[in-house]
Amino acid sequence: MARWTRARATRARAIGLAIAIVVAAARCVARGDAARDLSDGNRGRDARAPRAHARALRARAPAGASTATHREHLSTGISKELVDRVAVDGAVIVTWANMHYYDFALNFLSHLDALEVTNYLIGAMDEELYAALRKIGVNTWLMGSKSIDADAVKKDFGWGSKNFHKMGRDKIRLIHDFTKTGVDVLISDIDVAWLRNPIPFFRRYPKADILVSTDNLQNRTHQDARQISHMVDGEGLESTPCAGTVNIGMMWFRATEASQQLTGEWVRNLEKDEKIWDQAEFNTLVQRGGCGTPSPDGSGVGSAYEGKVQMGTLPVALFNNGHTYFTQRLPELINVNPYAMHATFQYDGTPGKRNRMREANQWLGDRDDPSYFDQKFLSYTPRVLSDTLKQGEHVVLEHMRLVQHQIAQLYEAVAIAKNLGRVVILPPFFCGLDRVWFPHAGRFPGSMLGLPFICPGDHVMGMESYGGDFMKEYREYAFLGHPHMP
């Protein structure tokens, strides 16, 4: 009886989440686009495929050289000596994390190891992560936090929380510190996976003080005819230096006075007003004095920050946000090989980010958890109602019927799996509407998404609400192709 009660609870939770999707889209009127037919043989598909050679971290010597002695340290604890030791050709890749994101740190460095990139550093915000990273030989330092207390600094900050914004200020101080080291730096959030070494791309733009990623939903690298002469293998920047809302999760800073001046004001403004959001303030600064004019030479590099810096915008098909990579699958759609993807535009916090990467077969953070694969599993082939794929005025109700039909099958699979003591491998979910946090016309405004589409799991299931139980009950639909699968 308890088993069936639990199964009913599981079904209720899943159906409730599907209804929540419909409520959020209650004002939608879908525009009819045919679902796209993508080739499995293109380069974009290759970038999402399992990579067998990335199954383990390379052997490392203990990171004893990063032990703090009497070196000169900057405000975030980093020493110029450590930066110089790690840098390759005058450049480093830097991220930071706390122990809550240890598996994300493993994922981050595993991707770079697979690319044979060695010039990276991970700032540890708490002593537990610092010890864990040093144990496996990672170049790290004890970054700490200026304003988050010792207990809270170990936990999930939660997007938009007070500690999230305090962490953001630690990040901007870190960026400013690195612009003063004399070494060029790629600053990356920990929830970015690097799929190609991006530094050669950045080096194509020696006039740029700063290159930035965005929340754009379309790629616009071929709008200006002058851009063609600056393309390398079909790759280039967006046509204007401020081509969209900057996302500060992937940023390249050359060690220039202009970079120091901008990041210095950025730090000062944040420290004067705790209500300012770090990302919004950066956008305000670079837009000051105008920033939307196409670059004079067509390269994409142009003036920003009252003409004090030279800046360029990275294309979203190569430096992907969460919508272009996981929802639109833009690299596949336009047949390009991406450099990176950032787990944004998702709806279930840290579990949602992790599952997005798992679904794309780009999660390499399970190296130290063989139990993820050492289970008994149940998979099934879902049935989809073909008569729900028509577009029209009843698209919201049709989307609801489409999703609920799939959830009913999931309920049956969960009941059987619990009876057999197995973990369910989720199927791909088919959705008739995009998921957005405001009323929309069927898809995220400005995106190239075709409807209907295979949607991320967090469009249908509330993974964060399960807590730690989600991985006890489910695996992602790409599980059998996971790079770490025995």
Side-chain angles (χ1 to χ4, degrees), residues 93 112 115-117 119 194-201 339:
I93 300 172
L112 292 177
L115 299 172
E116 299 185 349
V117 172
N119 55 324
W194 292 97
L195 312 177
R196 296 167 62 193
N197 183 354
I199 292 179
F201 179 96
Y339 284 93

Side-chain angles (χ1 to χ4, degrees), residues 32-202:
D33 277 357
R36 61 181 182 271
D37 182 15
L38 301 176
S39 167
D40 288 342
N42 62 36
R43 289 188 295 158
R45 173 67 72 181
D46 291 343
R48 295 168 63 91
R51 297 184 295 171
H53 64 282
R55 293 190 177 185
L57 298 178
R58 101 167 26 107
R60 298 174 169 38
S66 65
T67 303
T69 58
H70 293 292
R71 305 183 186 97
E72 180 181 355
H73 291 75
L74 300 175
S75 67
T76 50
I78 188 70
S79 71
K80 178 72 163 55
E81 188 272 345
L82 175 58
V83 176
D84 289 340
R85 180 169 62 81
V86 173
V88 173
D89 296 329
V92 291
I93 300 172
V94 177
T95 190
W96 71 101
N98 61 9
M99 193 61 193
H100 178 80
Y101 288 96
Y102 177 69
D103 59 345
F104 278 84
L106 289 180
N107 184 64
F108 184 90
L109 60 91
S110 294
H111 276 280
L112 292 177
D113 281 351
L115 299 172
E116 299 185 349
V117 172
T118 61
N119 55 324
Y120 60 87
L121 286 155
I122 301 179
M125 298 191 73
D126 60 82
E127 294 182 359
E128 189 176 357
L129 179 65
Y130 178 62
L133 292 177
R134 283 174 53 80
K135 185 176 180 180
I136 60 174
V138 176
N139 288 310
T140 184
W141 81 99
L142 187 56
M143 172 180 164
S145 174
K146 184 175 180 180
S147 54
I148 305 174
D149 65 53
D151 182 56
V153 80
K154 302 176 183 180
K155 301 176 181 178
D156 188 355
F157 298 132
W159 195 93
S161 67
K162 286 186 178 180
N163 283 336
F164 174 84
H165 289 294
K166 290 178 180 179
M167 177 273 294
R169 282 149 173 76
D170 292 325
K171 170 183 178 177
I172 311 314
R173 283 188 286 268
L174 175 67
I175 295 173
H176 184 50
D177 275 356
F178 270 88
T179 63
K180 297 185 290 185
T181 63
V183 172
D184 300 335
V185 59
L186 167 59
I187 297 290
S188 171
D189 282 0
I190 197 68
D191 60 340
V192 173
W194 292 97
L195 312 177
R196 296 167 62 193
N197 183 354
I199 292 179
F201 179 96
F202 301 151

Side-chain angles (χ1 to χ4, degrees), residues 37 82 90 137 139 162 201 223 226 290 294 317 323 352-353 371 374 382 398 410:
D37 182 15
L82 175 58
N139 288 310
K162 286 186 178 180
F201 179 96
Q223 288 190 329
R226 296 176 304 162
H323 198 278
K353 292 175 182 287
S371 66
D374 187 19
E398 291 299 281
L410 175 60

